[in-house]
Amino acid sequence: MTTAILQQPGKTADKTPATPKPNRSFIHGLATNRKALTGMAVMAVFIVLALLAPVLFPGDPSRITAMASLEPSAEHWLGTTAKGQDVLALTLHGSRSSLFVGLTVGFASTFIGILVGLASAYFGRFMDEALSLVTNVFLLLPGLPLLVILAAFLPPGLGTVILVLVVTGWAGSARVLRSQALSIRSKDFVAAAVVSGERAGRIMFREILPNMASIVMGTLLACVIYGIGAQAGLEFLGLGDVSTVSWGNNLFWAGNEGALLTGSWWVFVPSGVCIALVAFALALINYAVDEVTNPRLRKIKTPKATERSAAK
């Protein structure tokens, strides 16, 4: 027997309330992620100290200010070098050069990777084959020997270091971004944009690129870490401009002056710890981006935790 449900005019049938979906924005997700907050706090401290270095230690940080090889004290918090230079002043001023090179290399390498990856994935065929060939050539070249050769033959300076690191570091980001762009290229909304007659540039940068935000962010952070570490490695080998103050040059002079042999740990430890802390902070932010954008990495609350939060 079939029963009919009658409704009075002006009333609607009751609807089952939809289950709310956890739809957190990207910014809100990072703002509530402990790893992201820790990493950004560490980076903020380094950036503020780098900006305030000329105020805290005005003048030339390489000038001789005290006796040689003094241990850390109230007057010189991180001691002095074998030449009598203040280690804290060298470390703070060195952060300006190292962070500038790392950020410049990171943004430049990521930008080139975006252009190559999007063009290769969108146009395909001959363009994809040509760009993939160039990318594979740079990927197959040994990184450290190529860095050494280029740095040795080019005039020393920050511009040379940035150019060398960008030339040797863009291929990896281009390969990763191309793979992601290829998967998005096959989506229906991209095909609809092509059929509607949208220009190639608009489709690549307005349709495909916004859907690659998480992987672009991760690639950028990885390139910044690469830039800071590679610059320190080149300068430690003496292939940078030794007249500039940076974390890598601080380690270079510490090695040349025999700080390790004489037990002057305060000369080389601060710059090494700063490089490690910056890399650690950027890695934390990178992992937090993965957690926010990848549902599988998000922490799932247990039923007891959910009941407690609801009771509160």
Side-chain angles (χ1 to χ4, degrees):
M1 182 176 180
T2 305
T3 59
I5 301 177
L6 299 178
Q7 286 184 317
Q8 296 180 0
K11 294 185 179 181
T12 58
D14 295 335
K15 295 182 179 179
T16 304
T19 304
K21 297 181 180 180
N23 186 18
R24 300 185 304 172
S25 66
F26 180 74
I27 302 298
H28 176 72
L30 287 181
T32 55
N33 188 284
R34 293 183 180 179
K35 296 182 181 66
L37 293 177
T38 303
M40 288 187 288
V42 174
M43 286 302 303
V45 170
F46 276 100
I47 292 174
V48 170
L49 291 177
L51 294 176
L52 295 179
V55 178
L56 298 175
F57 294 93
D60 185 10
S62 301
R63 69 181 186 276
I64 298 175
T65 58
M67 297 293 293
S69 301
L70 293 179
E71 295 185 0
S73 61
E75 185 177 359
H76 300 281
W77 290 2
L78 294 181
T80 60
T81 65
K83 296 178 181 178
Q85 302 162 324
D86 190 88
V87 176
L88 181 58
L90 292 174
T91 304
L92 291 183
H93 279 268
S95 63
R96 297 170 63 87
S97 173
S98 297
L99 292 178
F100 173 74
V101 171
L103 292 174
T104 305
V105 171
F107 279 100
S109 300
T110 306
F111 179 72
I112 296 174
I114 289 173
L115 293 180
V116 174
L118 287 178
S120 180
Y122 180 79
F123 294 106
R125 297 183 180 179
F126 175 76
M127 180 70 72
D128 186 19
E129 293 178 1
L131 293 178
S132 295
L133 176 62
V134 176
T135 304
N136 291 333
V137 169
F138 277 90
L139 285 174
L140 291 175
L141 290 175
L144 182 59
L146 182 60
L147 284 173
V148 172
I149 292 172
L150 292 177
F153 282 94
L154 293 175
L158 285 182
T160 297
V161 174
I162 292 173
L163 176 63
V164 169
L165 296 181
V166 171
V167 168
T168 58
W170 66 270
S173 60
R175 174 60 63 189
V176 173
L177 295 174
R178 172 187 174 274
S179 301
Q180 183 70 10
L182 277 175
S183 63
I184 299 176
R185 175 68 174 84
S186 60
K187 300 296 183 181
D188 293 337
F189 66 90
V190 177
V194 174
V195 172
S196 64
E198 296 290 347
R199 292 177 298 177
R202 188 184 187 283
I203 295 175
M204 287 190 293
F205 293 100
R206 297 293 298 274
E207 302 292 341
I208 299 178
L209 185 59
N211 291 279
M212 300 168 54
S214 61
I215 195 167
V216 169
M217 186 70 175
T219 303
L220 172 63
L221 296 174
C223 288
V224 173
I225 296 174
Y226 161 76
I228 295 175
Q231 183 208 12
L234 283 177
E235 291 178 341
F236 179 73
L237 295 175
L239 298 174
D241 187 2
V242 295
S243 63
T244 61
V245 179
S246 65
W247 290 336
N249 280 329
N250 292 344
L251 296 175
F252 168 76
W253 287 114
N256 280 0
E257 294 168 0
L260 185 61
L261 297 176
T262 58
S264 302
W265 55 268
W266 57 87
V267 178
F268 57 87
V269 166
S271 295
V273 169
C274 287
I275 296 173
L277 284 177
V278 170
F280 175 70
L282 292 174
L284 281 180
I285 298 174
N286 192 3
Y287 191 79
V289 170
D290 289 339
E291 281 189 348
V292 172
T293 56
N294 190 350
R296 296 181 180 179
L297 297 179
R298 295 176 188 169
K299 293 182 179 179
I300 302 176
K301 292 184 178 181
T302 59
K304 292 184 179 179
T306 306
E307 292 175 359
R308 291 176 184 174
S309 59
K312 292 180 181 179

